[in-house]
C-alpha cells in the first residue's frame, strides 16, 4: 500500500488538516497564557524570557509558537528563539475567541465524541463543557462581532434597568453600567462558573452596588421584585437554547410575564447554516453545529427566527445581520400590544 505523502494532494490536505488542528489548540493556549496579547502590541519577544517571566513551561511554549508559525500567525527566527506577529496575525487575533470556544470550552466534549455518539445512559456524562472557558471565549467573540451592532441598536434608548439572560462573563452588563452611572444591571446565568467570571468583572469595574447576579434558568424564571424594574432585556448567544419552536414561543411569552415593564429586548445569536456545503463555511459554523447536535440542542435557521416573534407577543423594531460569525443576527424587539 502506498502511503500518501505531502508530495501528492491527498497527503498535503491531510498534513494541512492535522497541522491546523494542532495550531488551533496552540492559538487558544497562546491567548490564555498572554503571549498573543503581547504580540498584538507589536512586540518581538524572546520565548525563553517570556516563559520565565510568566512561569511557563518553555518547551511547550516554543513548540506552540512553531505550530502557529506554520499558519503564518507568528514568525520565528531560525533558532526559534524570538517570535513576532506574522502576516495573518491580525485575522487570527480577531478570531481567537472561536478557537478558544472550540478547543478549550468544548474540548472535553469534542474529545469524547465517540462515546457521545453511542446511544445509551452514559451519553449525558460525555456532554460536559467548561463554563468558565466558554464565557471568556464568548466575551471575546461578543466584543468583536456582536457589540458594534448591539450598541448601535440601543443608542438613544432610555434605559434604567437591564437584565442580561445567559450573561456569561458579564461583559455586557458591566459595559452598560459603566457607560451610564444610573443604570442598574441584572445578570442571569445557569452556570456558576460563568457567574464567577461575571462577579470578578463587576468587582474589577467597582460596580458591584449596581449589578446583581442571579443563578437561574432564564427559560423558567421564578419571580423577583427587581424584575419589575427591568426595561431592557438583552440576550446574546443563548437564544438557540429557547428552541424548538413551541418552547421558544412559550419562553418569549414568559419573558414578558417575568419582566412586565420591559420596553425593548435585544437578541443576538448565531443560526444553523443553510445553503452552503461544509467546505464553503466560514470559521465557527461547523463547530457550533457539531457541538449542539451532540448536545441534542436544536439550532433554528434565520428563517425560523423570523417567524417566531409574531406568535410570541414581540415585534421586530430593527435588525442587523452579522457576517462573522456567519448566519448571525441582532434583533431589537418590542412588546407587541
Ligand atoms: C455562549 S455563552 C454566551 C455568554 C454571553 N451572553 C456573551 O454574550 O458573552 C451562553 C451562556 O448562556 C448560559 N445559559 C445557557 N442556557 C441557559 C439558561 N437556560 N438559563 C440561563 N443561562 C443559560 C450559559 O451558561 C452561558 O454562560
Amino acid at each position: 500500500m502506498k502511503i500518501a505523502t505531502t508530495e501528492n494532494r491527498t497527503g498535503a490536505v491531510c498534513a494541512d488538516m492535522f497541522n491546523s488542528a494542532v495550531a488551533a489548540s496552540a492559538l487558544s493556549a497562546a491567548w490564555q497564557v498572554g503571549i498573543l496579547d503581547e504580540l498584538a502590541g507589536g512586540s518581538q519577544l524572546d520565548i525563553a524570557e517570556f516563559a520565565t517571566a510568566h512561569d511557563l513551561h518553555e518547551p511547550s511554549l516554543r513548540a506552540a509558537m512553531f505550530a502557529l508559525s506554520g499558519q503564518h500567525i507568528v514568525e520565528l527566527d531560525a533558532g526559534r528563539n524570538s517570535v513576532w506577529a506574522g502576516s495573518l496575525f491580525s485575522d487570527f487575533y480577531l478570531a481567537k475567541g472561536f478557537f478558544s470556544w472550540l478547543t478549550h470550552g468544548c474540548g472535553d466534549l469534542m474529545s469524547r465524541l465517540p462515546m457521545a455518539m453511542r446511544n445509551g445512559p452514559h451519553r449525558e456524562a460525555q456532554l460536559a463543557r467548561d463554563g468558565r472557558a466558554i464565557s471568556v471565549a464568548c466575551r471575546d467573540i461578543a466584543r468583536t462581532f456582536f457589540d458594534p451592532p448591539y450598541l448601535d441598536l440601543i443608542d438613544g434608548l432610555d434605559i434604567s434597568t437591564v437584565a442580561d439572560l445567559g450573561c456569561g462573563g458579564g461583559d455586557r452588563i458591566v459595559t452598560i453600567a459603566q457607560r451610564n452611572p444610573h443604570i442598574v444591571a441584572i445578570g442571569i446565568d445557569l452556570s456558576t462558573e460563568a457567574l464567577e467570571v461575571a462577579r470578578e468583572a463587576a468587582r474589577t469595574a467597582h460596580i458591584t452596588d449596581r449589578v446583581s447576579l442571579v443563578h437561574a434558568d432564564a427559560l423558567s424564571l421564578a419571580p423577583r421584585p427587581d424584575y419589575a424594574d427591568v426595561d431592557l432585556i438583552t440576550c446574546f448567544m443563548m437564544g438557540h437554547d429557547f428552541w424548538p419552536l413551541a418552547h421558544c414561543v412559550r419562553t418569549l411569552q414568559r419573558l414578558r410575564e417575568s419582566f412586565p415593564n420591559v420596553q425593548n429586548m435585544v437578541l443576538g445569536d448565531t443560526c444553523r447554516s443553510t445553503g452552503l456545503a461544509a467546505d464553503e463555511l466560514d470559521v465557527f459554523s461547523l463547530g457550533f453545529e457539531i457541538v449542539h447536535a451532540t448536545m441534542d440542542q436544536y439550532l433554528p435557521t434565520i428563517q425560523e427566527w423570523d417567524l417566531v416573534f409574531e406568535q410570541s407577543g414581540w415585534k421586530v423594531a430593527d435588525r442587523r445581520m452579522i457576517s462573522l460569525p456567519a448566519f448571525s443576527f441582532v434583533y431589537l424587539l418590542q412588546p407587541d400590544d
Side-chain angles (χ1 to χ4, degrees):
M1 185 180 115
K2 189 176 181 326
I3 297 173
T5 70
T6 48
E7 285 157 26
N8 63 48
R9 188 177 134 65
T10 312
V13 171
C14 288
D16 190 38
M17 180 166 156
F18 188 93
N19 295 345
S20 301
V22 175
S25 291
L27 183 72
S28 171
W31 180 36
Q32 284 159 53
V33 301
I35 194 165
L36 222 53
D37 291 333
E38 288 272 333
L39 293 169
S43 321
Q44 175 162 340
L45 299 173
D46 182 279
I47 294 175
E49 275 175 19
F50 189 89
T52 306
H54 296 82
D55 194 18
L56 301 174
H57 182 246
E58 187 187 318
S60 33
L61 180 64
R62 194 180 306 279
M65 292 301 108
F66 186 52
L68 295 185
S69 72
Q71 309 298 320
H72 308 287
I73 299 168
V74 301
E75 283 190 43
L76 294 173
D77 65 339
R80 299 185 199 165
N81 294 315
S82 308
V83 59
W84 60 95
S87 58
L88 297 183
F89 184 90
S90 52
D91 288 340
F92 280 92
Y93 191 71
L94 277 182
K96 61 191 178 304
F98 297 124
F99 290 90
S100 189
W101 176 88
L102 180 69
T103 62
H104 192 189
C106 304
D108 283 352
L109 182 148
M110 291 299 281
S111 71
R112 295 198 187 110
L113 211 48
M115 284 83 84
M117 250 178 221
R118 294 201 164 84
N119 286 323
H122 67 282
R123 223 187 76 79
E124 196 65 26
Q126 316 304 326
L127 307 180
R129 298 194 295 162
D130 182 330
R132 168 173 273 269
I134 287 182
S135 66
V136 172
C138 288
R139 180 168 68 188
D140 193 67
I141 295 169
R143 275 183 190 167
T144 309
F145 301 105
F146 284 91
D147 280 3
Y150 155 67
L151 293 172
D152 185 35
L153 284 171
I154 64 164
D155 190 34
L157 295 185
D158 195 14
I159 304 161
S160 69
T161 304
V162 57
D164 190 29
L165 312 179
C167 67
D171 209 38
R172 194 155 301 99
I173 50 176
V174 167
T175 305
I176 201 167
Q178 275 180 321
R179 278 162 67 97
N180 185 333
H182 304 296
I183 288 182
V184 170
I186 306 170
I188 300 169
D189 206 289
L190 207 49
S191 159
T192 49
E193 297 155 306
L195 286 172
E196 192 41 48
V197 179
R199 198 162 288 116
E200 283 163 26
R203 261 199 301 265
T204 306
H206 306 293
I207 49 167
T208 46
D209 54 330
R210 288 188 289 127
V211 169
S212 319
L213 295 169
V214 182
H215 182 223
D217 184 347
L219 309 184
S220 54
L221 289 170
R224 272 173 59 115
D226 55 350
Y227 289 169
D229 301 330
V230 169
D231 44 22
L232 172 67
I233 300 173
T234 54
C235 180
F236 280 77
M237 289 187 269
M238 77 147 277
H240 50 276
D241 289 299
F242 295 1
W243 287 74
L245 179 68
H247 201 240
C248 183
V249 170
R250 186 68 199 107
T251 298
L252 288 169
Q253 288 168 338
R254 216 182 269 143
L255 289 178
R256 287 197 55 187
E257 295 157 19
S258 302
F259 303 102
N261 296 310
V262 65
Q263 304 293 313
N264 294 282
M265 170 153 73
V266 185
L267 181 69
D269 205 5
T270 298
C271 305
R272 178 157 47 93
S273 63
T274 51
L276 290 181
D279 64 356
E280 295 173 313
L281 290 174
D282 211 326
V283 65
F284 193 56
S285 294
L286 271 184
F288 184 60
E289 291 177 21
I290 194 169
V291 163
H292 288 88
T294 305
M295 294 193 307
D296 256 338
Q297 172 62 57
Y298 184 79
L299 290 179
T301 62
I302 187 70
Q303 291 80 6
E304 287 175 295
W305 270 114
D306 275 337
L307 295 175
V308 82
F309 301 117
E310 216 175 302
Q311 307 169 50
S312 320
W314 295 89
K315 63 177 184 235
V316 178
D318 208 344
R319 183 178 95 165
R320 303 276 185 281
M321 291 307 293
I322 299 178
S323 52
L324 196 66
F327 301 98
S328 299
F329 61 77
V330 183
Y331 281 104
L332 176 64
L333 304 169
Q334 289 167 349
D336 190 10
D337 292 318

